[in-house]
């Protein structure tokens, strides 16, 4: 069974602070995919990143970075120098080998960036 | 423009009155899926389809039906809606193989 845990329900930071959103996953599959999606107040789901289980390289995209560690089954997301526009709910998701596109979502972390 | 289109965006209905939420994608994706989002529960999969005429249950299929007669369309049918189906619904599509899913803008359904 696939499972994603986002233990942080809500986080508040002051603008320009760095913040890390945690994601821990469980799967028995050898091949799997991890995702992060952003849901701004307007409600749509915005794709941020996809990682496959064979690629443990960390990734940086502007102020965003992701740390994938298979040893701890974690795929954490860091926002550097946060901005008010980063305020949103962030979802971590997992899909596995069987039904490879079926996404299992965590319960989300609501990030509020205070100006 | 590549997109997934859901209609309607908002719907208020009464218990027992059949309704259909439409979903259409223009990216030639094989895979389509429906999710519902509820506070504190994240998104949970209702049904999915890996190709035309191929559909299967997700984690929370009770009370829902789907069909996939054409590659681009994947409607969600509630034959007898109940208040516990009040939720935010998302349709998604993607190519097969664990690729990025594109989501529609969501349908907020209220059943009274």
């Amino acid at each position: 069974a696939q499972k994603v845990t986002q233990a942080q329900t809500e986080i508040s930071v002051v603008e320009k602070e760095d913040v890390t959103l945690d994601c821990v996953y469980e799967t028995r599959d050898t091949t799997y995919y991890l995702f992060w999606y952003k849901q701004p107040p307007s409600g749509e789901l915005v794709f941020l990143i996809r990682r496959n289980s064979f690629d443990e390289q960390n990734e940086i995209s502007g102020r965003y970075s992701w740390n994938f560690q298979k040893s701890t089954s974690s795929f954490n997301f860091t926002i550097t120098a946060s901005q008010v526009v980063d305020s949103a709910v962030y979802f971590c998701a997992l899909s596995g080998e069987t039904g490879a596109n079926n996404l299992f979502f965590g319960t989300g972390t609501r990030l509020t960036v205070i100006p | 423009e590549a997109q997934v289109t859901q209609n309607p965006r908002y719907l208020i209905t009464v218990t027992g009155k059949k309704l259909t939420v439409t979903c259409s994608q223009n990216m030639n994706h094989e895979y389509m899926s429906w999710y519902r989002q509820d506070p504190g529960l994240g998104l949970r999969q209702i049904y999915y389809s890996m190709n035309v005429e191929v559909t299967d249950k997700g984690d929370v299929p009770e009370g829902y039906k789907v069909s996939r007669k054409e590659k681009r369309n994947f409607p969600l049918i509630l034959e007898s809606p109940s208040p516990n189906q009040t939720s935010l619904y998302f349709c998604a599509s993607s190519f097969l193989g664990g690729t990025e899913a594109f989501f529609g803008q969501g349908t907020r359904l209220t059943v009274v």
Side-chain angles (χ1 to χ4, degrees), chain A residues 37 39 43 47 50 101-103 107, chain B residues 31 35 37 94-95 97-98 101:
Chain A
Y37 282 86
Q39 187 176 45
F47 168 79
R50 167 186 178 266
N101 291 64
N102 294 351
L103 289 169
T107 51
Chain B
Y31 179 91
Y35 296 85
Q37 181 181 357
S94 64
F95 293 114

Side-chain angles (χ1 to χ4, degrees), chain B residues 53-73:
Chain B
E53 303 291 1
V54 180
T55 63
D56 210 343
K57 297 177 181 179
D59 292 326
V60 288
E62 294 77 21
Y64 304 94
K65 285 178 57 176
V66 293
S67 68
R68 187 95 181 269
K69 294 186 170 61
E70 303 166 284
K71 195 172 187 178
R72 63 185 293 127
N73 295 324

Side-chain angles (χ1 to χ4, degrees), chain B residues 17-29:
Chain B
K17 185 177 181 182
K18 181 179 178 180
L19 67 92
T20 299
V21 183
T22 63
C23 174
S24 181
Q25 51 95 3
N26 62 1
M27 294 167 278
N28 203 34
H29 288 159

Side-chain angles (χ1 to χ4, degrees), chain B:
Chain B
E1 180 190 355
Q3 58 186 3
V4 179
T5 304
Q6 291 179 230
N7 280 298
R9 293 286 311 282
Y10 302 91
L11 180 60
I12 301 174
T13 190
V14 296
T15 299
K17 185 177 181 182
K18 181 179 178 180
L19 67 92
T20 299
V21 183
T22 63
C23 174
S24 181
Q25 51 95 3
N26 62 1
M27 294 167 278
N28 203 34
H29 288 159
E30 302 94 354
Y31 179 91
M32 297 186 75
S33 182
W34 279 100
Y35 296 85
R36 61 178 287 174
Q37 181 181 357
D38 302 291
L41 296 177
L43 284 85
R44 295 176 294 166
Q45 190 178 49
I46 303 170
Y47 268 95
Y48 65 96
S49 168
M50 297 179 80
N51 216 325
V52 176
E53 303 291 1
V54 180
T55 63
D56 210 343
K57 297 177 181 179
D59 292 326
V60 288
E62 294 77 21
Y64 304 94
K65 285 178 57 176
V66 293
S67 68
R68 187 95 181 269
K69 294 186 170 61
E70 303 166 284
K71 195 172 187 178
R72 63 185 293 127
N73 295 324
F74 191 46
L76 178 70
I77 303 157
L78 286 72
E79 298 232 326
S80 184
S82 63
N84 65 11
Q85 293 177 298
T86 293
S87 187
L88 178 58
Y89 291 86
F90 285 99
C91 179
S93 74
S94 64
F95 293 114
L96 291 175
T99 58
E100 167 198 352
F102 291 79
F103 285 84
Q105 291 195 290
T107 295
R108 187 166 293 282
L109 172 66
T110 302
V111 183
V112 298

Side-chain angles (χ1 to χ4, degrees), chain A residues 3-7 20-27 32 34 53 56 58 66-77 92 94:
Chain A
K3 184 179 179 182
V4 175
T5 301
Q6 295 180 257
T20 296
L21 309 183
D22 297 333
C23 173
V24 174
Y25 63 92
E26 294 177 32
T27 181
Y32 54 90
L34 293 162
S53 51
E56 283 193 76
N58 292 330
W66 290 269
N67 182 0
F68 176 26
Q69 292 197 333
K70 287 177 78 169
S71 60
T72 55
S73 297
S74 64
F75 187 44
N76 297 337
F77 172 31
C92 181
L94 165 72

